[in-house]
Amino acid sequence: MTSNESAVREFILLGLTQQPELQLPLFFLFLGIYVVSMVGNLGLIILIVLNPHLHTPMYYFLFNLSFTDLCYSSVITPQMLVSFVKQNLISYAECMTQLFFFAFFVIDECCILTAMAYDRYVAICKPLLYRVTMSHHICLVLMVSGYVVGFVGALSHTVCMLRLSFCDGSVINHYMCDIPPLLKLSCTSTTVNELVVFVVVGVSIIVPSLTIFVSYTLILSSILRIHSAKGRSKAFSTCSSHVIAVSLFFGSSSFIYFKASPAGSVDQDKISTVFYTIMVPMMNPFIYSLRNKDVQFALSRTLKKRVFT
């Protein structure tokens, strides 16, 4: 940094919208979403821990997904809510910390969704080998690998961001410290950062997307060979929930990071980001569990135990 450049000590997050008449309604809307997300994901974690019959690979991944969503929401939403009620100041250190954990949990969620797709592939296409293929050791390796990939990716983004100088302003036109709006504020070259974005995001989106696509192509082929209409319906029901969540998460996140240029409609970017940072963590407990008879049974049994004890 040269002597005539001023180092930014804090940023101003403008939030989701600047229209005064929308601030209060949106505050209560996203507060409600945050509460539902916390209750849903925490409740699912507790259910899985308390019920031994849910201690299977499928629910092991679901446990990690709920934990990630729980942390994910807590990194993003509280800061967003502040923007609706007052000027939202965030220090440089806090901004970089939020960026790190945001990137970490985004990449980790990609890895977990991929592991869940592979689990469904083995369960439907190779049921006789399921216990061996999805052993406790394999599941642990898959999850640890996901956390390691998330850590390396988040560290790469954060370190590259720390090398930039922000002397062209301190106002971030967003509700969080995301990569594209931060790059727009930099008065130094962002070529390295953009390269890291394409490499890290490419690996964490393209590779999982291809893995999920191949898994579901094979799953669909196996389902179509099932003679029982009830069996096909059950398999389709299980897969459809995951496909919806994957499409929403990967679709909205890839739209942000694979545009030809970091410039463009900021409002459009913020709306797209809301889907995978706010909505997906809230929806996952519903689309993965409330339609699941095992989880409904576990919830019913747990509630009965608490009532009669």
Side-chain angles (χ1 to χ4, degrees):
M1 181 180 296
T2 60
S3 57
N4 64 343
E5 291 176 345
S6 58
V8 173
R9 297 183 180 274
E10 63 182 12
F11 295 99
I12 300 174
L13 293 172
L14 289 185
L16 187 62
T17 179
Q18 291 297 293
Q19 300 182 41
E21 67 275 11
L22 296 178
Q23 301 288 355
L24 197 58
L26 287 176
F27 171 82
F28 286 110
L29 173 63
F30 285 102
L31 177 62
I33 291 174
Y34 181 58
V35 171
V36 172
S37 180
M38 291 296 98
V39 172
N41 286 292
L42 185 59
L44 192 53
I45 289 173
I46 294 172
L47 274 181
I48 293 172
V49 170
L50 294 180
N51 291 271
H53 76 280
L54 296 182
H55 295 175
T56 63
M58 175 182 173
Y59 295 104
Y60 174 73
F61 294 133
L62 190 56
F63 173 91
N64 280 274
L65 183 68
S66 293
F67 173 75
T68 298
D69 284 338
L70 193 71
C71 299
Y72 192 17
S73 295
S74 297
V75 168
I76 303 299
T77 313
Q79 195 68 246
M80 179 188 193
L81 292 174
V82 173
S83 301
F84 290 127
V85 294
K86 65 176 184 179
Q87 187 180 60
N88 191 2
L89 295 176
I90 183 172
S91 70
Y92 178 84
E94 290 172 337
C95 186
M96 294 300 109
T97 301
Q98 185 188 53
L99 173 64
F100 173 83
F101 283 106
F102 162 66
F104 174 76
F105 289 121
V106 167
I107 297 173
D108 186 45
E109 180 129 347
C110 292
C111 295
I112 295 174
L113 290 172
T114 306
M116 293 178 75
Y118 178 69
D119 174 71
R120 291 300 85 203
Y121 157 73
V122 177
I124 294 175
C125 300
K126 300 181 182 295
L128 298 179
L129 298 176
Y130 184 76
R131 288 184 177 273
V132 176
T133 306
M134 301 304 297
S135 64
H136 175 73
H137 175 71
I138 297 298
C139 292
L140 182 62
V141 169
L142 287 173
M143 284 300 92
V144 171
S145 299
Y147 287 116
V148 170
V149 171
F151 177 81
V152 173
L155 188 63
S156 301
H157 283 308
T158 308
V159 170
C160 287
M161 196 64 68
L162 288 171
R163 58 178 285 278
L164 299 181
S165 299
F166 299 97
C167 52
D168 287 352
S170 59
V171 179
I172 302 176
N173 190 5
H174 212 292
Y175 58 83
M176 65 175 182
C177 291
D178 198 3
I179 297 170
L182 281 171
L183 294 183
K184 292 178 183 178
L185 292 181
S186 175
C187 55
T188 51
S189 174
T190 61
T191 303
V192 174
N193 298 73
E194 292 170 17
L195 178 61
V196 170
V197 167
F198 276 98
V199 172
V200 175
V201 177
V203 170
S204 60
I205 290 182
I206 293 179
V207 174
S209 296
L210 289 175
T211 303
I212 292 171
F213 177 77
V214 171
S215 297
Y216 274 103
T217 299
L218 297 172
I219 287 172
L220 180 61
S221 176
S222 295
I223 290 176
L224 293 177
R225 290 198 298 267
I226 298 176
H227 298 293
S228 168
K230 184 178 180 181
R232 288 197 301 270
S233 177
K234 183 178 179 181
F236 272 123
S237 177
T238 302
C239 298
S240 62
S241 297
H242 187 248
V243 169
I244 292 171
V246 166
S247 300
L248 184 61
F249 181 82
F250 282 95
S252 55
S253 58
S254 60
F255 173 81
I256 296 294
Y257 294 103
F258 284 119
K259 293 188 303 180
S261 168
S265 173
V266 176
D267 291 335
Q268 191 178 45
D269 287 356
K270 287 192 285 187
I271 293 172
S272 298
T273 307
V274 164
F275 281 102
Y276 75 94
T277 60
I278 309 294
M279 300 304 297
V280 171
M282 180 196 71
M283 293 170 59
N284 281 340
F286 296 97
I287 62 180
Y288 283 115
S289 62
L290 293 185
R291 296 174 58 191
N292 187 301
K293 292 183 179 180
D294 290 335
V295 174
Q296 292 175 353
F297 175 74
L299 178 61
S300 176
R301 189 171 66 174
T302 302
L303 292 175
K304 287 180 180 178
K305 285 182 179 180
R306 296 296 177 268
V307 170
F308 293 107
T309 54

